[in-house]
Amino acid sequence: GGGAPVTEDFAMSEIRRLSEDPNTTNLTVKTLGLLLDEAKNAVYNPVKLLEGAGGDLAKYMAHPLTDYYINSSHNTYLTGDQLQGDSTVEAYTAALQRGARCVELDCWDGAPGVPEGNDGSEPIITHGHTLCTKILFRDVIRTIKNTAFAPPANNPYPVILSIEMHCTLKFQQKMFRIVDGELGEMLYRLPDDADATMEDLPSPEELKHKILLKGKRVHKPDEPDDDDDDEEEVESTPRAGNTSQRGLQPAMSFTGKSKKKEGHDIDPDWSSLISLAAVKANLEKTGKPFEMSSFAEGKTKKICETQNGQFIRYNMRQLSRIYPFGGRIDSSNLDPCPAWGAGAQLVALNFQTDDTPMRVNRGMFLQNAGFGYVLKPPPLLAKGQPTPPMKLTVLVYSCQRLPKLGNARDVVDPYVKVEVLGAGKDKATKQTSMVQDNGFNPAFNDGKGEALEFDILMPDAAHVCISVWDQDVGSDDFIGVHSVPLLNIRPGIRHVPLDDAHEARLHMAGVLCKFTIKELTPAEAKMI
């Protein structure tokens, strides 16, 4: 794992620690199994999991915000699907405590009794044009204030509130009073001379315990009116029929485009609280450091395919937020790896959905003690050459102590799936054969292991997701998963711990694999 060489004395102390005989000089098969199967031998490089990824934390956190991947939540208020899911303030607490450092607030004019207790003057948060329930903006701000930096996570690093503004000026003024009153000194405000003098965004270290608002600001006379900037594509979201039955005012039942025109009036007081200004993206132009843009999933895919180098350079100086296609009404997620591979900092995911992209996101943000800020690799910061193409071989030997699912009498029929997700062509899935009726210690290929091989062109952006499944009639059942960035894998025979669908570690369960990573020759890389 990149540490000091192992001495004979250390090896013997480890053997004795797990042996029944504290004075033994022999390594038994049983003790070897225990050594291989414990957390100390896990596949994820333990140094990367430490504060500061093993270095000095303050130094690690001293770069401008643009230099980091930032753990980001999409439509944070929702607990279910995008059409009729419940909105709750608790969803903000859950996301922030799970490491999210950017959460989303979709803000609308309130109405009497919507939600219950609203006198009609309170702005609300909901998913427009849908049957999703409503919550008070005030309650969300208060919840964020009380939980963003609180125990048990105790994460002191800054939180970005991504504001999608649909409110009229009267309600924006109310939003200003709520935020100014509730957050006070916690709110980071741009210096008065930021337009003229700011060269870089502050660092997470400088912004500890600060909350930043991202949204539209009042346009200065010399600035173009960015007609279509930064609003999520509400017009592409399927409608949920008659919205009035859940209390949306008629003014909200609009066709996306016409209302967006009206919505460009921004209250000057509210505008003064915005420290990350939402603007229309222009990859050609260097914007001010505090200007940032949002990109829809489809647009991002196109940019990554046709202007990737330009996008990488853009993301060295500006923040980018990527959000899922509006048609993902089931709250499924986009693959974050291509956008990360281009240096996009904020890839917003639906935290309530346990799917492969969310699992990869968890694996990414295990780094740096789960603080939600991970430094981008050197080539994406103009500080080094990309890692050359690699061949990854995962030799899957066995699983250990897999839980029974559902009907406790049914013994599982497990197989192991390995997915590589990355940028460009780096996307592949392979799996072992199935072992029948054995969840305790299923061995593949009679214990000799099954080899799954992957050629990876861009290792800096690649993530490896290892999951175990129970083969079943109809559809297979998910058992557990572990995701790790390719370059954080420790080569050798390693223990792969497993988390269930609720992110809980499965007690004593795991997969035993041998990981080999070898650099490809230029000729081999050309063949991919």
Side-chain angles (χ1 to χ4, degrees):
V6 174
T7 63
E8 194 174 326
D9 284 349
F10 174 78
M12 192 53 69
S13 71
E14 285 294 283
I15 289 165
R16 287 173 177 160
R17 180 173 62 83
L18 294 173
S19 173
E20 289 166 4
D21 175 6
N23 300 311
T24 188
T25 55
N26 297 320
L27 175 60
T28 64
V29 171
K30 183 179 178 184
T31 305
L32 176 62
L34 291 170
L35 283 165
L36 290 173
D37 195 24
E38 68 172 352
K40 277 189 181 181
N41 189 45
V43 60
Y44 210 120
N45 181 347
V47 173
K48 297 288 186 183
L49 299 173
L50 299 173
E51 291 186 353
D56 178 76
L57 179 60
K59 196 172 168 188
Y60 185 92
M61 289 296 210
H63 302 251
L65 283 181
T66 39
D67 284 7
Y68 298 86
Y69 297 123
I70 302 171
N71 198 355
S72 302
S73 156
H74 174 252
N75 285 0
T76 311
Y77 47 87
L78 288 180
T79 56
D81 68 48
Q82 306 281 312
L83 279 186
Q84 44 197 1
D86 282 337
S87 307
T88 71
V89 292
E90 289 78 17
Y92 286 91
T93 301
L96 291 164
Q97 288 289 319
R98 286 163 71 188
R101 295 290 92 181
C102 178
V103 294
E104 185 176 10
L105 291 76
D106 287 2
C107 305
W108 300 81
D109 290 3
V114 183
E116 199 176 328
N118 191 353
D119 63 5
S121 72
E122 293 283 339
I124 61 172
I125 287 177
T126 190
H127 200 208
H129 320 297
T130 70
L131 303 181
C132 295
T133 58
K134 326 286 181 270
I135 50 178
L136 292 175
F137 176 79
R138 180 188 298 276
D139 290 346
V140 171
I141 293 298
R142 202 166 277 166
T143 297
I144 291 168
K145 169 184 157 183
N146 292 333
T147 62
F149 312 112
N154 290 314
N155 185 344
Y157 292 102
V159 168
I160 297 166
L161 309 189
S162 182
I163 304 290
E164 194 173 300
M165 181 60 80
H166 301 281
C167 289
T168 54
L169 291 172
K170 183 176 85 168
F171 282 88
Q172 289 180 40
Q173 182 59 223
K174 186 69 173 262
M175 288 171 65
F176 164 74
R177 292 198 297 274
I178 291 169
V179 170
D180 192 44
E182 288 287 345
L183 300 183
E185 289 299 304
M186 289 173 82
L187 196 68
Y188 170 72
R189 300 169 198 242
L190 282 175
D192 291 339
D193 58 354
D195 278 273
T197 63
M198 186 179 268
E199 290 183 16
D200 279 312
L201 284 173
S203 68
E205 187 64 26
E206 292 169 298
L207 293 169
K208 270 179 160 177
H209 297 105
K210 289 289 185 188
I211 292 172
L212 293 78
L213 291 192
K214 186 225 89 177
K216 293 202 181 94
R217 299 206 306 166
V218 171
H219 286 293
K220 298 214 164 51
D222 60 333
E223 289 179 5
D225 182 24
D226 298 326
D227 174 42
D228 212 16
D229 66 35
D230 200 62
E231 290 292 314
E232 292 202 8
E233 293 169 348
V234 290
E235 67 275 10
S236 69
T237 306
R239 298 287 195 275
N242 179 5
T243 53
S244 63
Q245 48 187 297
R246 278 210 179 189
L248 268 186
Q249 288 178 287
M252 291 182 193
S253 315
F254 50 75
T255 57
K257 287 288 180 194
S258 61
K259 181 67 175 187
K260 279 164 79 171
K261 292 272 189 200
E262 285 174 45
H264 278 288
D265 286 338
I266 299 292
D267 176 75
D269 288 335
W270 171 257
S271 178
S272 72
L273 304 181
I274 301 292
S275 53
L276 294 171
V279 300
K280 190 176 177 67
N282 184 346
L283 299 190
E284 316 285 337
K285 175 175 158 270
T286 301
K288 299 185 176 88
F290 55 82
E291 291 177 337
M292 65 173 286
S293 299
S294 291
F295 299 83
E297 178 180 347
K299 187 176 178 182
T300 306
K301 184 172 186 285
K302 195 171 173 186
I303 291 172
C304 288
E305 286 168 358
T306 60
Q307 297 173 274
N308 202 56
Q310 207 171 4
F311 200 29
I312 288 172
R313 289 187 293 279
Y314 175 85
N315 288 321
M316 287 177 187
R317 54 181 200 265
Q318 314 288 154
L319 285 175
S320 289
R321 177 177 173 272
I322 315 301
Y323 61 90
F325 165 57
R328 291 181 179 273
I329 55 173
D330 58 352
S331 297
S332 60
N333 283 306
L334 66 121
D335 174 4
C337 297
W340 284 340
Q345 299 87 349
L346 300 133
V347 182
L349 298 183
N350 295 302
F351 271 46
Q352 72 271 35
T353 305
D354 180 63
D355 53 11
T356 298
M358 193 61 211
R359 292 162 191 165
V360 167
N361 192 73
R362 286 207 300 273
M364 164 69 98
F365 289 105
L366 284 174
Q367 298 176 83
N368 186 28
F371 283 134
Y373 286 86
V374 171
L375 269 176
K376 296 196 277 191
L380 296 181
L381 300 172
K383 292 178 180 172
Q385 291 303 306
T387 304
M390 304 277 196
K391 179 185 283 293
L392 167 69
T393 305
V394 183
L395 185 60
V396 184
Y397 289 120
S398 62
C399 300
Q400 293 78 44
R401 294 173 290 277
L402 302 175
K404 291 177 178 178
L405 302 172
N407 183 346
R409 283 178 299 192
D410 282 351
V411 180
V412 296
D413 303 321
Y415 65 91
V416 175
K417 184 193 289 186
V418 179
E419 295 170 86
V420 168
L421 292 90
K425 294 180 182 173
D426 292 339
K427 196 173 176 73
T429 302
K430 296 186 178 180
Q431 64 190 57
T432 65
S433 55
M434 178 268 290
V435 175
Q436 201 156 4
D437 289 343
N438 188 345
F440 184 68
N441 59 354
F444 300 95
N445 191 19
D446 298 323
K448 295 191 281 289
E450 284 188 42
L452 307 177
E453 293 189 343
F454 302 88
D455 292 330
I456 298 166
L457 282 170
M458 291 184 263
D460 294 298
H463 292 251
V464 182
C465 195
I466 299 157
S467 55
V468 181
W469 298 76
D470 173 24
Q471 192 170 90
D472 215 341
V473 181
S475 67
D476 298 345
D477 297 315
F478 169 76
I479 297 174
V481 67
H482 190 61
S483 180
V484 54
L486 174 70
L487 298 183
N488 289 356
I489 285 176
R490 290 199 288 175
I493 298 175
R494 298 292 174 191
H495 168 69
V496 179
L498 295 172
D499 293 342
D500 68 12
H502 306 289
E503 297 182 33
R505 185 59 45 95
L506 290 171
H507 182 57
M508 295 182 76
V511 188
L512 190 66
C513 304
K514 182 179 181 183
F515 294 87
T516 309
I517 301 175
K518 175 175 119 352
E519 195 173 317
L520 292 173
T521 65
E524 287 171 324
K526 266 197 182 127
M527 300 288 287
I528 299 174

